[in-house]
Amino acid sequence: RHAIYLGATSLFVLNSVGLNYSYRPLRGFAVSLGAGLSAAFAGFAGAAAVGGQMMAHGLFGGAGAHSFELAGGLSVVSTSSAIFCSSCDDSTRLAALPSAFLGYRYHPLDGGFLFRAGAAWEFGLGIGAHLSFGGAF
């Protein structure tokens, strides 16, 4: 029912990495909390953000540990970039942004290796292909 996993999202210039804890109270539903950082390069002048994320996960189809996952939630990040808040003071920019994941999840209910693959928007700037690896217990 519980899992801890490390995930990374990238679209070459938009990247994020995060550590997440997930609790799966029902076969088709999970919730997660995570902390991570994201960065954008090239035309974004080296923008970066760090913060937390909470998500609700719907797990559909498949048998046992295999499922299609659709997740949505909220990331709250602190950044020095004006991308998120152009009217904020330079020292304290907080932004609340949507988070999302769509893809495959392998999560055995009796414990073991956890794997996720798909597309995500995480921690503000992390948009693109996503991979997660961790353990379920």
Side-chain angles (χ1 to χ4, degrees):
R1 292 186 154 201
H2 304 273
I4 295 177
Y5 53 91
L6 180 65
T9 301
S10 180
L11 188 63
F12 303 110
V13 296
L14 303 168
N15 306 284
S16 71
V17 63
L19 182 64
N20 296 279
Y21 164 75
S22 176
Y23 175 63
R24 188 173 174 179
L26 305 169
R27 183 172 294 279
F29 179 74
V31 293
S32 66
L33 292 173
L37 58 99
S38 61
F41 305 103
F44 296 97
V50 63
Q53 169 176 280
M54 57 186 160
M55 295 180 81
H57 307 256
L59 307 169
F60 307 97
H66 304 276
S67 58
F68 172 76
E69 180 176 352
L70 176 61
L74 184 70
S75 291
V76 177
V77 296
S78 173
T79 181
S80 60
S81 172
I83 291 173
F84 301 118
C85 183
S86 59
S87 62
C88 296
D89 180 294
D90 282 342
S91 62
T92 56
R93 285 195 172 118
L94 283 178
L97 301 163
S99 293
F101 176 83
L102 176 67
Y104 167 78
R105 180 176 182 138
Y106 176 76
H107 181 163
L109 290 174
D110 58 351
F113 177 73
L114 177 134
F115 172 76
R116 297 167 70 230
W121 178 12
E122 297 189 315
F123 305 107
L125 295 166
I127 299 171
H130 178 90
L131 288 176
S132 293
F133 300 96
F137 53 96

